[in-house]
Amino acid sequence: MNTNEFDLEFDIRYDNASKGAPGIDKHEKSVYLTTAQEELVKAAYSGFNESGKGFEGSERKRRQLSELVRDYKVSSELPQNTTSKNPKENLIETSQFFGLPTDLMYIVLESVKLKSTDPCLNNKIVPVKPVTHDEFQVEIKNPFKKPNGRKAWRLDLYRYGANQKAELFSVAKIDQYQIRYVKKPRPIILVDFEEDPDLEGLGLTVDGSNRKTECELNTEIHREILNRAVELAVVDSRESNLSNRINTNKRIV
């Protein structure tokens, strides 16, 4: 579906489902469509849906998110954000920091290439295991569980200025960090807001953008996005109470 089809079918479904409700403009429809899209991406990835199957457990879910899957490689480390009060931010001396894509939503697969004088480790590709801070505190002391020649660790991600970054731990120097990830989808915006007579001059945006933007997801999920967006709009148009919202949020897919 393109934006014109989303716009027209939204009106048909909304009018049929909410007789007598006030009309909604293209900015409001864009907000509902973008919200529905993000909910469905999260549900398809996590498995928090009626099928109970997530991204890796269903061919259909993988197909729905296929346009959002990206590869990313980085070799240059980020400097530590040191201050006089906090001279070091790494948890152990040998950990390394790497920047991550600005559009990162979920990491699907990750690995590192090692660099070492040890020929058994040099240029070796090992998988990366994400760990929590609690796991780090316990397992870093365990020689059988901490990073070794078969795995590296990645600690929880956090912001570095406008970007996200990760702290990586390995048995040798990391020469390259590679990930495959699901990116955050672009918003669905039905029209250039500043060129619409009902919206121009209002400074309206959706996720920071005010330009017409097509849905980038696989067409297989477009109808579900539309149905979910209309459902959200109908709930808002009626008496909106906590019970209604909870019941609506349980039916994401």
Side-chain angles (χ1 to χ4, degrees):
M1 297 174 67
N2 58 36
T3 51
N4 291 334
E5 291 170 326
F6 268 116
D7 191 14
L8 292 173
E9 289 198 33
F10 190 107
D11 286 340
I12 293 170
R13 292 170 185 264
Y14 179 74
D15 291 343
N16 289 336
S18 56
K19 299 294 185 182
I24 55 179
D25 60 35
K26 285 181 171 57
H27 173 258
E28 292 171 313
K29 284 186 279 187
S30 298
V31 170
Y32 284 123
L33 287 165
T34 301
T35 300
Q37 174 181 247
E38 186 166 326
E39 285 186 0
L40 288 167
V41 167
K42 291 177 179 178
Y45 180 82
S46 66
F48 187 68
N49 51 63
E50 289 181 359
S51 70
K53 294 182 179 180
F55 179 69
E56 292 296 303
S58 165
E59 170 68 18
R60 180 168 179 260
K61 299 305 178 187
R62 289 194 297 273
R63 193 64 56 197
Q64 287 177 339
L65 302 186
S66 59
E67 276 76 6
L68 301 181
V69 177
R70 299 288 187 274
D71 286 312
Y72 176 80
K73 295 180 181 179
V74 59
S75 297
S76 54
E77 292 181 58
L78 291 175
Q80 291 192 52
N81 186 23
T82 58
T83 65
S84 58
K85 293 183 179 180
N86 182 27
K88 291 184 178 181
E89 60 177 342
N90 55 341
L91 293 182
I92 60 174
E93 191 67 31
T94 57
S95 68
Q96 296 171 253
F97 294 94
F98 289 90
L100 292 159
T102 56
D103 58 359
L104 173 67
M105 196 167 186
Y106 301 112
I107 294 178
V108 177
L109 185 70
E110 52 189 322
S111 62
V112 294
K113 183 172 75 171
L114 303 179
K115 183 177 183 179
S116 174
T117 56
D118 183 344
C120 294
L121 294 176
N122 194 43
N123 291 325
K124 185 176 182 180
I125 307 295
V126 298
V128 174
K129 174 188 174 184
V131 297
T132 66
H133 285 83
D134 287 341
E135 288 174 322
F136 174 87
Q137 290 281 60
V138 174
E139 296 186 0
I140 194 64
K141 302 171 186 177
N142 187 328
F144 300 103
K145 292 189 176 182
K146 69 181 184 179
N148 52 41
R150 296 184 300 277
K151 67 176 181 295
W153 282 358
R154 187 249 303 162
L155 206 56
D156 294 342
L157 317 178
Y158 62 101
R159 289 283 171 185
Y160 177 77
N163 300 327
Q164 296 183 74
K165 72 174 180 178
E167 185 173 6
L168 300 179
F169 309 85
S170 72
V171 71
K173 184 80 171 178
I174 295 172
D175 188 47
Q176 186 180 76
Y177 178 44
Q178 179 176 356
I179 67 172
R180 178 162 291 182
Y181 69 100
V182 175
K183 69 181 283 292
K184 181 179 173 63
R186 296 192 303 263
I188 302 172
I189 302 180
L190 301 179
V191 67
D192 291 347
F193 295 151
E194 290 304 313
E195 295 181 8
D196 186 286
D198 296 326
L199 304 174
E200 62 179 341
L202 300 178
L204 299 173
T205 62
V206 178
D207 285 356
S209 178
N210 64 358
R211 307 293 294 179
K212 182 178 179 179
T213 309
E214 301 287 346
C215 178
E216 61 182 320
L217 269 67
N218 191 300
T219 55
E220 197 272 340
I221 199 174
H222 285 190
R223 198 73 60 190
E224 292 181 50
I225 293 172
L226 176 65
N227 292 340
R228 176 61 176 168
V230 172
E231 184 178 28
L232 292 171
V234 170
V235 169
D236 281 347
S237 72
R238 296 173 178 172
E239 182 180 354
S240 183
N241 54 48
L242 182 59
S243 177
N244 282 342
R245 291 192 174 278
I246 289 175
N247 290 331
T248 301
N249 290 337
K250 285 180 179 177
R251 293 180 286 114
I252 292 178
V253 175

